[in-house]
């Protein structure tokens, strides 16, 4: 049984997602676990995109932080050599036009068809949808990163989402601290157990149906 703390869990997931990225490609990183993926990418031809208007996002040392240079999650970023700036409408035209190869998103829930909910919790005030709807429609591939269960231990991988869905498009892969799933013909397929996880634990903590 896995016993990682939250920070370690997030990094384990981010490191595993990074293994799926192969350049040349344009990758959009969502808020939360997806931002950590950049720490584990070493290919020079993977270009990070942020929907507020920068292609060529890179990390930045604290001493070099520019308060005017942030990503869509309002976190400080740097600019790689050759980076380009553009306005928000052009950025979303890139997304909607199919020019983002991979979008890596967080999710509150995902159902066995691969449809996700990541923008609203009924009765609670959270950040909102951002560019997730556009990325789900426009990105060539969509990966989801999330903890396998909620704080009360209930499954976040469900037969059907109980929160408002973000898009009717199914994601391609789901990464948790317990397992990696592919979505094939709107069905979940378990492709890998994460370190320390067992198939019994995954079955116990997954409400959704899946194949092995």
């Amino acid at each position: 049984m896995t016993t990682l703390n939250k920070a370690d869990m997030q990094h384990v997931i981010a490191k595993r997602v990074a293994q799926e990225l192969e350049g040349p490609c344009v990758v959009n990183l969502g808020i939360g676990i997806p931002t950590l993926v950049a720490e584990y990418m070493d290919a020079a031809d993977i270009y990070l995109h942020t929907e507020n208007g920068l292609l060529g996002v890179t990390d930045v040392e604290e001493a070099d932080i520019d308060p005017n240079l942030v990503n869509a999650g309002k976190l400080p970023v740097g600019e790689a050599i050759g980076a380009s700036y553009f306005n928000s409408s052009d950025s979303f035209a890139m997304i909607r036009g199919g020019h983002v190869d991979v979008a890596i998103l967080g999710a509150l829930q995902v159902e066995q068809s691969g449809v996700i909910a990541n923008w609203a919790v009924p009765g609670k005030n959270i950040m909102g949808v951002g560019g997730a709807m556009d990325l789900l429609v426009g990105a060539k591939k969509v990966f989801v990163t999330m903890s396998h269960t909620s704080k009360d231990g209930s499954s976040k991988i469900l037969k059907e989402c109980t929160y408002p869905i973000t898009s009717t498009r199914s994601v391609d892969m789901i990464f948790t601290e317990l397992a990696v799933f592919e979505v094939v013909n709107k069905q979940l397929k378990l492709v890998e157990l994460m370190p320390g996880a067992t198939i019994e634990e995954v079955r116990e903590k997954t409400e959704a149906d899946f194949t092995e």
Side-chain angles (χ1 to χ4, degrees):
M1 181 174 291
T2 54
T3 56
L4 297 173
N5 62 40
K6 182 178 179 180
D8 288 343
M9 176 196 73
Q10 292 178 336
H11 278 274
V12 164
I13 296 170
K15 184 177 181 178
R16 177 60 186 83
V17 176
Q19 295 173 19
E20 296 294 324
L21 301 177
E22 184 176 347
C25 63
V26 174
V27 179
N28 181 285
L29 301 179
I31 297 170
I33 297 174
T35 61
L36 302 175
V37 175
E39 297 182 22
Y40 299 98
M41 298 187 317
D42 53 14
D45 56 354
I46 297 177
Y47 306 99
L48 296 182
H49 168 273
T50 176
E51 60 260 35
N52 59 324
L54 174 61
L55 181 63
V57 176
T58 188
D59 56 4
V60 61
E61 298 294 334
E62 187 171 352
D64 298 323
I65 288 176
D66 180 345
N68 295 311
L69 187 56
V70 296
N71 63 16
K74 299 181 176 61
L75 297 175
V77 295
E79 51 191 343
I81 294 174
S84 59
Y85 291 95
F86 32 86
N87 63 37
S88 185
S89 60
D90 287 337
S91 182
F92 276 85
M94 290 172 63
I95 295 170
R96 295 166 185 167
H99 303 292
V100 172
D101 296 295
V102 182
I104 305 175
L105 302 173
L108 301 169
Q109 295 179 340
V110 59
E111 64 182 48
Q112 61 193 30
S113 66
V115 168
I116 70 167
N118 78 341
W119 70 280
V121 177
K124 292 187 178 181
N125 182 22
I126 63 172
M127 185 174 295
V129 68
M133 289 181 178
D134 298 271
L135 288 162
L136 276 160
V137 171
K140 295 174 184 175
K141 288 186 178 180
V142 179
F143 297 159
V144 163
T145 63
M146 61 190 296
S147 58
H148 206 94
T149 59
S150 58
K151 291 180 180 179
D152 64 4
S154 60
S155 178
K156 293 167 67 173
I157 304 179
L158 309 170
K159 292 184 183 298
E160 186 174 341
C161 290
T162 60
Y163 295 165
I165 66 171
T166 309
S167 168
T168 57
R169 184 243 178 103
S170 296
V171 302
D172 296 277
M173 298 186 73
I174 302 159
F175 301 82
T176 78
E177 77 279 14
L178 298 182
V180 180
F181 295 93
E182 286 184 350
V183 181
V184 182
N185 296 324
K186 293 190 174 293
Q187 295 181 323
L188 294 185
K189 180 181 179 181
L190 176 66
V191 295
E192 185 179 327
L193 294 173
M194 294 291 275
T198 65
I199 185 60
E200 291 77 17
E201 184 179 11
V202 172
R203 288 196 187 107
E204 177 188 350
K205 295 181 177 180
T206 307
E207 180 194 291
D209 297 325
F210 62 89
T211 59
E212 298 175 37

